[in-house]
Amino acid sequence: MVVCSIMRAMQIRFLWWVFQNAGVAQWQSGSLPSFPRGFDSLRPLQLSCNASLLLMLAFLSTALTNPATICRAMAIMLSKNTEIFMSIIKDGFYKVAFAAGLPGEGGLVVAKDDSVYGGDSQFLYSGKATGDQSQVTSAITVSALSGTAKSVFGSTGGKFMLQAKGTASGTSFHLAAPAPIPGAQGIVITGTWIAPLEL
């Protein structure tokens, strides 16, 4: 309603400006009408080019800034495009499971504004989701807690990057990534939402 009120005020101000600047009419002849004919022109009166243009703009202003039309358009846009304002991955705590060449223990991650931070007893991981829920892309950095930590790829310690792709929904995400080590089996990461951030 506030938007509609603002648009109506802008429209009224514009129409008043047109009224003040358009003028009423312009003689088609370059000279003044003859005295005997009073204010009758030898030719019909015509609006000046500027007046016509201003009146056309006034008409468009009325059509395009009609408050009811704008409010209806905004309601339709919001109802049909709500997903634009949604996170790719819902904020909250997630339980994650890994499937790869070697068994791996599950972990816990926190998602906030499509950024994900988490870890388990061996590794810490963080990443950022981009795209949309049907095509999620995330570069995940994995860092070992110690030099003896063993990953599901068979590597020990260190840090590596996973280029993951997959999908997400309101309560879960499913990502797959190739192994960072040549010849090793890739990994599948499944996250299940378990609680909101505000406990």
Side-chain angles (χ1 to χ4, degrees):
M1 295 301 296
V2 174
V3 174
C4 294
S5 299
I6 294 174
M7 295 304 295
R8 172 59 69 185
M10 293 175 63
Q11 178 186 351
I12 292 173
R13 289 176 63 87
F14 177 72
L15 292 176
W16 175 246
W17 180 83
V18 170
F19 176 79
Q20 290 181 312
N21 290 275
V24 177
Q26 172 179 297
W27 298 110
Q28 187 175 21
S29 171
S31 60
L32 293 174
S34 59
F35 180 78
R37 295 182 61 87
F39 287 97
D40 292 334
S41 173
L42 295 176
R43 296 182 182 180
L45 293 174
Q46 290 186 347
L47 291 176
S48 69
C49 179
N50 287 341
S52 299
L53 177 60
L54 290 173
L55 289 177
M56 180 180 69
L57 290 175
F59 171 79
L60 291 176
S61 169
T62 302
L64 296 178
T65 62
N66 182 279
T69 301
I70 290 178
C71 289
R72 284 196 297 269
M74 291 179 66
I76 293 173
M77 180 186 71
L78 291 174
S79 64
K80 291 187 176 181
N81 297 283
T82 304
E83 64 272 12
I84 294 176
F85 305 101
M86 293 174 59
S87 295
I88 300 171
I89 298 177
K90 180 181 178 180
D91 289 357
F93 291 91
Y94 287 78
K95 176 177 62 177
V96 292
F98 308 107
L102 297 175
E105 64 177 289
L108 182 71
V109 300
V110 173
K112 173 66 175 176
D113 297 331
D114 292 328
S115 291
V116 178
Y117 309 94
D120 51 46
S121 63
Q122 301 288 310
F123 291 88
L124 298 176
Y125 19 88
S126 66
K128 176 75 174 179
T130 58
D132 55 47
Q133 291 188 337
S134 63
Q135 292 182 319
V136 180
T137 300
S138 181
I140 304 170
T141 300
V142 182
S143 180
L145 288 173
S146 68
T148 60
K150 190 172 184 179
S151 76
V152 293
F153 306 108
S155 61
T156 301
K159 180 188 293 187
F160 54 87
M161 182 81 71
L162 296 176
Q163 300 295 335
K165 295 181 180 180
T167 59
S169 67
T171 57
S172 65
F173 59 85
H174 187 86
L175 304 173
I181 301 173
Q185 182 178 330
I187 186 173
V188 174
I189 306 168
T190 302
T192 303
W193 189 88
I194 56 175
L197 294 179
E198 296 294 332
L199 300 178

